[in-house]
């Protein structure tokens, strides 16, 4: 089968597509023949070495397809089942992949497999952020950075469906228009406007209950300054680089603030948590409350272009690879 491999961390050129033996599932595992694979910023962090991987290695954590081989002891799936996964192991950038049966989920018939491939990681991230890290409630005002991005669009729609007022930051007027169609009540052009000042203006000086920040270094100060008393800053990505060290005393001075740095894998640590998160996500999509945009589709051979496009922020919504 064809698969992406990387000999050492680096830029997009570090990735190559080669022929490798098709893997066989061991006990408790299944092999999925991919219909599509997800593209995510965590893949870039792993490629560059920000999140180190032992090399040589494959890349990619997310995919969807049909079960074509089953290892010993697996009862969760049968041959031909439509499944998806989002927690690896790394190596999803391939025509097929072996995964632990306990870490994959059934995909309902009403959810197309390419949508599942592009939404599992982003969608379950939105699920735990809005329902568990900070339980957004009707009437609250929230701030979502990168509101036109893959997680941002889902997060905005989900929070809007709950009844929250959503403020989103975006990089261009075009992305602002898109974000408003995905649940944003207010948009802020972060390159042109003072984010915290605009948030205070929109909220009559009160600030937001929670700021969801996947950007990191360049938005940290604005996020803190946008919070209401006892507000929470949820940092769940580092698109602009990691947040530098800071004095915790700032949190008390800012109004007894909270800062947390969660990761999806701690919220889907058990099979039960995984199933519950995926079920909640699929229910939101099936209801129409959350609409999923597949922004770009790349062939496996175009993986370098795919990463360059993601890094330059030219994509909106979810992007996928196809074999």
């Amino acid at each position: 089968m064809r698969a992406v491999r990387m000999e050492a961390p680096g830029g997009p050129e570090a990735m190559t597509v080669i022929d490798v033996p098709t893997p066989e599932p061991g006990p408790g595992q299944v092999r999925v023949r991919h219909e599509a694979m997800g593209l995510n910023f965590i893949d870039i962090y792993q490629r560059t070495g920000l999140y180190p991987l032992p090399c040589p290695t494959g890349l990619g954590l997310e995919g969807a397809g049909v079960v074509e081989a089953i290892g010993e002891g697996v009862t969760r799936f049968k041959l031909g089942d439509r499944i998806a996964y989002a927690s690896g192991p790394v190596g999803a950038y391939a025509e097929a992949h072996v995964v632990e049966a306990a870490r994959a989920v059934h995909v309902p018939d009403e959810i197309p497999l390419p949508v599942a491939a592009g939404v599992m990681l982003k969608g379950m991230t939105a699920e735990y952020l809005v329902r568990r890290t900070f339980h957004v409630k009707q009437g609250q005002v929230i701030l979502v950075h990168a509101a036109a991005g893959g997680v941002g669009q889902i997060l905005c729609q989900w929070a809007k469906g709950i009844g929250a007022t959503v403020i989103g930051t975006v990089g261009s007027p075009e992305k602002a228009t898109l974000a408003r169609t995905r649940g944003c009540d207010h948009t802020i052009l972060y390159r042109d406007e003072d984010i915290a000042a605009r948030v205070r203006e929109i909220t009559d000086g009160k600030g937001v209950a929670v700021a969801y920040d996947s950007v990191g270094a360049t938005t940290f100060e604005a996020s803190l300054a946008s919070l209401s008393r006892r507000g929470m800053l949820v940092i769940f990505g580092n698109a602009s680089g990691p947040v530098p060290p800071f004095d915790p005393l700032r949190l008390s001075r800012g109004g007894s603030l909270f800062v947390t740095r969660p990761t999806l894998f701690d919220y889907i640590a058990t099979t039960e948590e995984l199933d519950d998160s995926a079920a909640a996500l699929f229910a939101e999509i099936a209801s129409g409350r959350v609409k999923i945009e597949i922004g770009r589709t790349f062939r496996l051979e175009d993986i370098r272009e795919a990463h360059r496009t993601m890094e330059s922020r030219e994509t909106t919504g979810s992007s996928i690879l196809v074999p």
Side-chain angles (χ1 to χ4, degrees):
M1 69 175 192
R2 293 174 303 146
V4 171
R5 290 292 182 268
M6 181 178 76
E7 295 296 323
E13 68 281 355
M15 300 178 293
T16 57
V17 179
I18 63 173
D19 290 324
V20 299
T22 301
E24 293 298 328
Q29 298 178 328
V30 298
R31 186 173 72 234
V32 55
R33 177 61 56 173
H34 285 143
E35 185 165 319
M37 302 80 81
L39 289 162
N40 298 282
F41 245 91
I42 191 173
D43 306 342
I44 293 173
Y45 300 155
Q46 291 176 333
R47 190 204 76 219
T48 61
L50 179 63
Y51 295 175
L53 293 175
C55 290
T57 183
L59 283 172
L61 293 169
E62 176 181 48
V66 175
V67 174
E68 66 172 9
I70 294 177
E72 180 183 354
V74 174
T75 59
R76 183 170 166 81
F77 301 110
K78 64 182 185 302
L79 294 176
D81 279 353
R82 305 166 79 248
I83 71 169
Y85 63 92
S87 53
V90 293
Y93 292 178
E95 292 180 317
H97 196 33
V98 166
V99 299
E100 297 294 326
R103 305 308 300 160
V105 300
H106 289 275
V107 178
D109 290 341
E110 61 268 27
I111 307 295
L113 285 172
V115 169
V119 78
M120 280 285 290
L121 196 149
K122 298 178 182 71
M124 291 194 301
T125 296
E127 181 276 322
Y128 85 76
L129 290 173
V130 80
R131 295 173 74 230
R132 293 187 281 160
T133 300
F134 182 95
H135 188 184
V136 175
K137 298 179 179 63
Q138 183 177 5
Q140 290 180 318
V141 186
I142 74 170
L143 174 64
V144 178
H145 288 289
V151 175
Q153 288 191 34
I154 301 169
L155 187 54
C156 291
Q157 292 178 84
W158 206 317
K160 186 64 177 177
I162 292 170
T165 296
V166 182
I167 304 171
T169 70
V170 293
S172 69
E174 294 76 19
K175 288 188 175 182
T177 299
L178 174 61
R180 285 192 290 270
T181 70
R182 295 295 189 264
C184 275
D185 298 281
H186 308 274
T187 54
I188 299 172
L189 296 173
Y190 67 83
R191 293 188 177 98
D192 304 325
E193 301 179 85
D194 183 317
I195 294 172
R198 282 286 290 127
V199 167
R200 294 291 172 182
E201 179 183 343
I202 293 165
T203 61
D204 295 325
K206 297 176 183 176
V208 295
V210 60
Y212 292 112
D213 192 337
S214 62
V215 180
T218 61
T219 50
F220 173 71
E221 294 293 339
S223 293
L224 271 187
S226 297
L227 295 176
S228 64
R229 182 175 290 112
R230 299 192 304 276
M232 179 180 287
L233 169 53
V234 183
I235 304 168
F236 66 99
N238 313 287
S240 67
V243 171
F246 67 95
D247 183 354
L249 191 60
R250 292 186 58 191
L251 304 181
S252 65
R253 291 171 177 163
S256 299
L257 307 177
F258 298 85
V259 175
T260 185
R261 180 55 171 94
T263 179
L264 169 64
F265 308 118
D266 288 323
Y267 283 82
I268 55 170
T270 68
T271 303
E272 291 74 21
E273 289 172 333
L274 173 65
D275 282 343
D276 287 347
S277 184
L281 170 62
F282 291 145
E284 288 293 308
I285 297 171
S287 73
R289 289 186 295 269
V290 170
K291 296 177 174 61
I292 303 301
E293 175 204 4
I294 300 298
R296 293 284 301 272
T297 298
F298 298 91
R299 305 294 301 185
L300 189 63
E301 290 80 3
D302 299 325
I303 186 59
R304 294 178 179 179
E305 179 192 352
H307 271 225
R308 291 188 187 102
T309 302
M310 282 198 295
E311 286 182 293
S312 64
R313 305 188 189 283
E314 295 175 21
T315 60
T316 59
S318 298
S319 296
I320 59 173
L321 285 175
V322 294

